[in-house]
Amino acid sequence: MTEITTAFDELDLRNSTKIAVLDIGSNSFHLVVVRIISGTVQVLHKVKQKVRLAEGLSEECYLSEEAIRRGLDTLKMMEKSISGFDPDSVRIVGTYTLRKARNAYKFIKAARKIIPYPVEIISGQEEARLIFNGVAHTHQLPQNSLIVDIGGGSTEFALGKNQTPQILRSLDMGCVSYTQRFFVDGKITHSNFSKAITAAQQQLEKIEDKLLKATWQQTLGTSGSIESIITSADNNVDLDDFELTLEHLEKLRAYCEQVGEIDALQLGEVNDQRIQVYPAGLAILTAIFISLGVDKLSFSNSALREGVIYEMDDSLHHDDIREHSIQSLATRYDVDIEQANLVLNTCFNLFKQAKEDWSLNTKRVKDLLGWSALLHEIGLHIHSRGVQKHSAYILQHADLHGFNAEQQTFLSLLTRFHRKKIRLAELPELTQFRQIELLQCMIILRLSVLLNIKRQANFIPDIKFEVDDHSMFLTFPKGWLADHPVIAADLKMEQVYLANIGFKLKFGE
């Protein structure tokens, strides 16, 4: 090999995740593919296509065949960009138009044949939350901030600070729907502009009182409509530094009315497709300034898509994706959910009482213990005899997204020895977990399974669980053990099993 071909041979590869997010908006479809590496987001690919889905929404809230066709054609164009992605790395969200359309199912069913990933129709408040999430991850919000996003069919408002939204609202006013109502013939007059502003102010009456009582220190606008308004306010504008005012909006309105026709507008860098819905967006933003008393507005490049990306990144690296994997297994193998939850509740009760004295790391092992409780009987799907072995095999060899190899081994070992004899020789050496905490979690699971042997809700009384190094004491209410001799006998057998691995179990009243 030449020197140039071996230049990277000694470099370590860092783990990275590819994520694709598709926003099926009322005006545009936006697809973004990113790579998450070392806590940063690198944009690999972007596709934005004007579809104006909201134009096809009738007064009776039915999506027209033509609008559906435009949407499906756009999905066909985007399909290759996300083909082959892991389902857990793709999220497709539908907003206002699909929320409103009574026949949205028709579009979604056809879309699933083109792109084999589910389309989620999110609520207006959820949309506002995700928009806030996107802005909060890319801007410092140390004080109350109002985020405004004018979409094709709705406008979202999110008020909060740092990364916590406090008020989330969505109003049925958007640049496409208002174009249809007030500028459908392409004419711009003082009268139809005033009507659009008044209609938006009427919508704002639903939320202005609560927002004004909350107060905020800065206002940020996101997405295409607001970007085009800021860009047209000053052809040499720096989006990161420019502050839009009501005076700017009034000058832009005067210009639009002077020109009189949408097709005749000259708005610098604003593209022709965005110009078609420009007056409607301008009217809505003007109403927001007036009704909410906004004095200036800055722009944020982040919005819904970024909010989804950052949320997916968190879930892929923490619990959400693992929860999905566990739920999938439970469904596939017909786990007895009621019994699993009984064992889970007992597990968490004993864990809570023991974690301090046993120095159990809640973040590292509690979820794994809980998931082992939920799946300890998964092997019943194979055979009731030797269920613990079957359960362990499934959990060790299943494709569990979100778990690394040792986490999966830890989960498998807990289920492998949730009953009968514990064979220390079969416990491998782990680097992420101490053997003692593996055994302690194993004991908690074993006791939880044993105590729920009757498979009855409200069967187990309040139990006190005291631990100290390699010893444990279970305290039951007076007379309970005498009334349940089988449980007492099982606990005596458990004493023998645990003594063989160096743990002393005592129980009484």
Side-chain angles (χ1 to χ4, degrees), residues 367-386:
D367 284 343
L368 291 170
L369 172 62
W371 289 323
S372 73
L374 293 174
L375 296 178
H376 73 281
E377 288 188 332
I378 195 172
L380 283 174
H381 194 81
I382 298 175
H383 202 283
S384 59
R385 186 172 183 178

Side-chain angles (χ1 to χ4, degrees), residues 193 248-260 282:
F193 222 116
H248 290 120
L249 299 180
E250 289 172 342
K251 288 181 179 178
L252 291 169
R253 174 185 176 177
Y255 167 72
C256 289
E257 291 178 0
Q258 179 186 352
V259 173
L282 180 59

Side-chain angles (χ1 to χ4, degrees), residues 153-330:
S154 63
T155 296
E156 277 63 50
F157 300 83
L159 189 148
K161 65 178 181 179
N162 297 322
Q163 295 189 8
T164 305
Q166 299 160 5
I167 299 175
L168 301 169
R169 294 291 184 270
S170 178
L171 297 179
D172 291 353
M173 55 184 192
C175 60
V176 176
S177 58
Y178 268 42
T179 297
Q180 292 290 96
R181 286 181 62 183
F182 303 105
F183 305 98
V184 68
D185 60 358
K187 302 295 183 181
I188 308 172
T189 66
H190 183 79
S191 176
N192 60 12
F193 222 116
S194 296
K195 289 178 181 178
I197 292 173
T198 299
Q201 287 183 291
Q202 288 176 312
Q203 285 287 321
L204 286 159
E205 286 178 344
K206 301 174 183 178
I207 65 169
E208 63 180 297
D209 187 53
K210 187 163 188 175
L211 285 178
L212 291 173
K213 285 180 180 178
T215 71
W216 63 93
Q217 287 69 51
Q218 68 171 333
T219 306
L220 294 168
T222 70
S223 294
S225 285
I226 293 179
E227 181 181 13
S228 66
I229 291 169
I230 292 176
T231 300
S232 61
D234 185 341
N235 289 333
N236 299 312
V237 67
D238 182 345
L239 286 174
D240 293 330
D241 297 327
F242 188 79
E243 292 182 329
L244 189 70
T245 66
L246 184 58
E247 183 180 359
H248 290 120
L249 299 180
E250 289 172 342
K251 288 181 179 178
L252 291 169
R253 174 185 176 177
Y255 167 72
C256 289
E257 291 178 0
Q258 179 186 352
V259 173
E261 294 187 5
I262 292 177
D263 289 338
L265 292 175
Q266 299 293 322
L267 296 171
E269 298 297 322
V270 180
N271 65 52
D272 291 340
Q273 290 182 321
R274 178 60 65 178
I275 287 175
Q276 296 302 311
V277 294
Y278 180 92
L282 180 59
I284 292 170
L285 190 56
T286 300
I288 291 170
F289 267 71
I290 296 171
S291 293
L292 301 183
V294 175
D295 57 350
K296 55 187 178 181
L297 175 144
S298 302
F299 183 71
S300 168
N301 276 309
S302 297
L304 173 65
R305 293 166 298 285
E306 288 74 19
V308 175
I309 288 167
Y310 284 107
E311 189 156 270
M312 287 181 70
D313 179 38
D314 288 339
S315 67
L316 283 168
H317 288 85
H318 298 293
D319 297 337
D320 289 356
I321 186 62
R322 295 193 291 174
E323 285 281 2
H324 176 78
S325 297
I326 296 299
Q327 291 166 358
S328 176
L329 276 184

Side-chain angles (χ1 to χ4, degrees), residues 54 79 84 97 101 103 179 202 230 294 308 337 341 373 451 465 475 488:
E79 186 273 332
T97 299
N103 59 339
T179 297
Q202 288 176 312
I230 292 176
V294 175
V308 175
I337 302 300
N341 280 317
L451 293 170
F465 186 47
T475 304

Side-chain angles (χ1 to χ4, degrees), residues 60-103:
E60 295 77 25
C61 291
Y62 284 94
L63 203 53
S64 69
E65 292 295 329
E66 173 60 22
I68 291 175
R69 184 194 61 76
R70 290 199 306 269
L72 296 177
D73 286 346
T74 301
L75 292 183
K76 289 176 183 176
M77 182 190 71
M78 294 178 170
E79 186 273 332
K80 290 184 179 179
S81 296
I82 55 176
S83 177
F85 269 64
D86 188 292
D88 296 318
S89 297
V90 178
R91 192 173 180 193
I92 304 174
V93 295
T95 56
Y96 173 83
T97 299
L98 291 183
R99 280 199 296 272
K100 291 293 183 179
R102 293 183 178 180
N103 59 339

